[in-house]
């Protein structure tokens, strides 16, 4: 059975993008990126909302871009090999391999996916995560806190949701990033 893992890079005050929809402050650096690569290897399927998918689709051709370091190339290969499901009512088509488009998030299909896979499932995008968290589908919440306060923007976690969590892993990085991994207790 696969675990559904919500993962996000966010500011210390909890935003994945600032009020101008900017997230250049979220670049993880080499050490954090290598750690993320290791976390991504067991992922068999990525679930994305439209906006995050459009950002992540760049990894489809990253290996063709000049001057990519080994860490970026490693992430690209891992990302390309995984299946992707994009949830969007506005996207006309997907542009990457191993990707399918779904028009609506369906909790029953996520439960079935979790029950029928032997690999973990990554959940990306705060709007999509809000549905999965509210539906009790998420098995782990992994946050990478960037050493910045942006003052507002797109929140990583939904407002109005109460969810008790148990800290199961933490790690500090040289660049000030902190990794926190939680498991819901209810």
């Amino acid at each position: 059975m696969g675990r559904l893992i919500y993962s996000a890079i966010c500011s210390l005050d909890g935003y994945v993008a600032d009020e101008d929809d900017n997230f250049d402050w979220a670049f993880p650096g080499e050490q954090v990126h290598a750690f993320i690569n290791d976390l991504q290897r067991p992922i068999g399927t990525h679930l994305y909302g439209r906006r995050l998918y459009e950002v992540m689709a760049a990894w489809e051709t990253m290996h063709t871009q000049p001057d990519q370091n080994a860490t970026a190339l490693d992430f690209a290969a891992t990302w390309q090999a995984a299946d992707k499901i994009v949830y969007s009512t506005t996207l006309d088509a997907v542009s990457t391999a191993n990707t399918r488009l779904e028009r609506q998030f369906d909790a029953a299909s996520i439960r079935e996916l979790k029950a029928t896979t032997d690999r973990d499932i990554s959940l990306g995008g705060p709007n999509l995560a809000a549905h999965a968290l509210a539906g009790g589908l998420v098995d782990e919440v992994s946050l990478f806190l960037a050493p910045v306060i942006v003052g507002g923007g797109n929140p990583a976690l939904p407002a109005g949701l109460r969810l008790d969590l148990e800290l199961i892993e933490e790690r500090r990085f040289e660049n000030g990033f902190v990794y926190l991994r939680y498991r819901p207790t209810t």
Side-chain angles (χ1 to χ4, degrees):
M1 181 172 193
R3 297 174 300 161
L4 182 59
I5 303 166
Y6 173 48
S7 183
I9 296 175
C10 61
S11 64
L12 188 59
D13 53 346
Y15 297 97
V16 296
D18 65 23
E19 291 176 333
D20 296 323
D21 208 27
N22 186 6
F23 54 90
D24 60 350
W25 47 265
F27 182 73
E30 186 74 20
Q31 184 188 32
V32 176
H33 200 181
F35 183 78
I36 290 170
N37 288 359
D38 291 339
L39 295 177
Q40 293 296 306
R41 283 185 227 299
I43 302 298
T45 305
H46 295 282
L47 309 180
Y48 293 123
R50 178 192 54 82
R51 290 175 62 186
L52 184 56
Y53 170 71
E54 289 174 338
V55 170
M56 297 302 292
W59 291 101
E60 184 77 4
T61 58
M62 195 64 66
H63 63 285
T64 66
Q65 303 300 314
D67 301 324
Q68 293 300 314
N69 65 34
T71 305
L73 294 173
D74 180 34
F75 183 85
T78 302
W79 187 85
Q80 291 164 10
D83 292 330
K84 277 104 30 209
I85 303 172
V86 181
Y87 295 88
S88 174
T89 58
T90 59
L91 194 62
D92 291 327
V94 294
S95 61
T96 57
N98 303 324
T99 306
R100 79 174 195 254
L101 179 61
E102 295 287 339
R103 292 297 174 195
Q104 65 182 17
F105 182 84
D106 176 51
S109 67
I110 300 302
R111 281 188 205 92
E112 182 179 339
L113 178 61
K114 286 173 59 173
T116 58
T117 186
D118 59 350
R119 298 190 66 195
D120 289 336
I121 305 157
S122 172
L123 176 63
N127 295 331
L128 187 61
H131 294 292
L133 287 162
L137 300 170
V138 175
D139 300 297
E140 290 184 6
V141 175
S142 294
L143 298 176
F144 287 87
L145 301 181
V148 61
I149 295 172
V150 299
N154 190 4
L157 297 168
L161 174 70
R162 169 64 190 256
L163 184 62
D164 294 326
L165 302 169
E166 172 189 5
L167 181 64
I168 55 177
E169 185 178 359
E170 60 186 276
R171 180 168 174 184
R172 289 179 58 177
F173 295 92
E174 293 170 2
N175 64 357
F177 271 72
V178 176
Y179 170 67
L180 301 171
R181 188 177 112 190
Y182 295 94
R183 176 177 34 230
T185 59
T186 57

